[in-house]
Amino acid sequence: MNNLSTTVKMLRKKYNLTQEELSLKSGVGLRFVRDLEQGKETGRRNCKERISLNRQLFLA
């Protein structure tokens, strides 16, 4: 796992969210959240999703 995946998972659990709830709240797909938490490469096409997820987690 990388630093981002660890941080996302830690924050999701801190706020008692399931992966599905996080995906709905942040406007990204469930598969994206799962792949991100597992440290899988999500590809450049998901850059907007990654930014959206980060904004939801850190600016809310």
Side-chain angles (χ1 to χ4, degrees), residues 16-41:
N16 297 314
L17 295 172
T18 65
Q19 289 178 333
E20 185 174 8
E21 290 169 332
L22 176 60
S23 72
L24 291 171
K25 286 182 176 285
S26 60
V28 300
L30 177 57
R31 183 175 180 145
F32 177 79
V33 172
R34 287 181 177 161
D35 287 351
L36 183 63
E37 285 191 3
Q38 292 175 5
K40 293 182 180 176
E41 271 301 316

Side-chain angles (χ1 to χ4, degrees), residues 4-20:
L4 178 61
S5 60
T6 303
T7 301
V8 169
K9 189 171 188 175
M10 179 195 66
L11 288 171
R12 177 179 63 79
K13 289 185 176 206
K14 177 181 176 181
Y15 292 105
N16 297 314
L17 295 172
T18 65
Q19 289 178 333
E20 185 174 8

